[in-house]
């Protein structure tokens, strides 16, 4: 597992879809994940320390876990199949530890509330991670990794196109902004 940070949340002007961009700690490798507008707002609200009059769904879930004596230990973006990312939430409670299947957007929204680390499996980063080459080109996935097929690279081209549209010079500034 590789620890990630939330680099930013972006909006594609082409289709108005939201993308959360995770960044590998200590590296210039990024993991863009398409997410829904509600989940993007839930993550951004917490990252920007905005208060809301009533708890959002992720606040409610965090409160329920806490009331039952549990704590979110970490979340992991653990798989990528057919252009769909998967995640697991690890919750420690008085009776032990449990892993819960989740969408990455919900797991990330919960992690920011619990101040829990976010991880990605190396296999996911090998297939969908984005690196900036020394020439400034965007490289999606690791074509040298044996787990990446031509078909997967073709499917990931939407990420490549979106990343290609971004002003990548501002990645690393750690702000949440619209593109």
């Amino acid at each position: 597992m590789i620890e990630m940070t939330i680099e930013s949340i972006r909006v594609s002007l082409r289709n108005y879809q939201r993308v959360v961009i995770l960044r590998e700690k200590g590296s210039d490798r990024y993991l863009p994940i398409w997410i829904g507008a509600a989940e993007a707002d839930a993550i951004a609200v917490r990252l920007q320390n905005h208060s809301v009059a009533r708890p959002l769904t992720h606040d409610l879930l965090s409160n329920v876990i806490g009331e039952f004596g549990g704590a979110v230990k970490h979340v992991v973006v653990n798989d990528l199949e057919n252009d769909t990312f998967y995640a697991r939430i690890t919750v420690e409670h008085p009776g032990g530890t449990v892993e819960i299947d989740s969408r990455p957007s919900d797991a990330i929204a919960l992690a920011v509330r619990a101040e829990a680390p976010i991880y990605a499996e190396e296999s996911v980063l090998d297939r969908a991670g984005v690196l900036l080459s020394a020439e400034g080109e965007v490289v999606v996935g690791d074509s040298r990794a044996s787990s990446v097929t031509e078909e997967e690279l073709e499917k990931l081209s939407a990420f490549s196109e979106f990343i290609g549209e971004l002003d990548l010079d501002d990645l690393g500034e750690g702000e949440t902004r619209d593109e």
Side-chain angles (χ1 to χ4, degrees):
M1 292 189 310
I2 309 290
E3 189 165 2
M4 310 294 286
T5 60
I6 299 171
E7 182 66 30
S8 62
I9 297 172
R10 308 257 175 161
V11 178
S12 170
L13 293 179
R14 180 183 300 180
N15 57 17
Y16 298 103
Q17 283 190 287
R18 275 61 171 185
V19 175
V20 62
I21 299 178
L22 302 178
R23 181 179 184 178
E24 181 179 340
K25 272 194 166 180
S27 172
D28 285 331
R29 185 163 54 164
Y30 301 89
L31 182 63
I33 301 174
W34 298 104
I35 61 174
E39 292 79 10
D41 290 346
I43 295 166
V45 161
R46 181 64 179 169
L47 288 176
Q48 296 173 353
N49 293 318
H50 287 290
S51 59
V52 292
R54 302 291 301 145
L56 298 173
T57 304
H58 301 95
D59 298 316
L60 173 65
L61 181 55
S62 180
N63 292 341
V64 168
I65 290 169
E67 288 296 319
F68 283 109
V72 175
K73 295 320 274 178
H74 65 267
V75 302
V76 179
V77 179
N78 67 321
D79 203 2
L80 171 62
E81 290 182 31
N82 299 319
D83 300 331
T84 302
F85 287 93
Y86 294 84
R88 307 280 300 160
I89 302 167
T90 300
V91 176
E92 243 178 39
H93 58 88
T97 302
V98 63
E99 284 191 5
I100 303 163
D101 186 36
S102 175
R103 298 183 305 178
S105 55
D106 292 324
I108 293 166
L110 188 57
V112 296
R113 283 156 176 76
E115 299 179 5
I118 300 167
Y119 297 100
E121 290 290 346
E122 182 70 44
S123 62
V124 173
L125 288 166
D126 284 346
R127 294 190 332 235
V130 175
L131 281 170
L132 303 180
S133 72
E135 297 80 33
E137 294 177 343
V138 176
V139 180
V140 177
D142 183 354
S143 57
R144 297 165 302 184
S146 60
S147 62
V148 180
T149 66
E150 279 297 319
E151 182 180 337
E152 286 176 314
L153 286 173
E154 179 73 25
K155 287 180 179 179
L156 291 170
S157 66
F159 287 120
S160 183
E161 289 171 15
F162 175 76
I163 297 297
E165 294 172 358
L166 295 177
D167 177 6
L168 296 175
D169 292 333
D170 69 354
L171 280 178
E173 293 177 8
E175 293 181 25
T176 302
R177 64 174 73 194
D178 291 342
E179 272 302 309

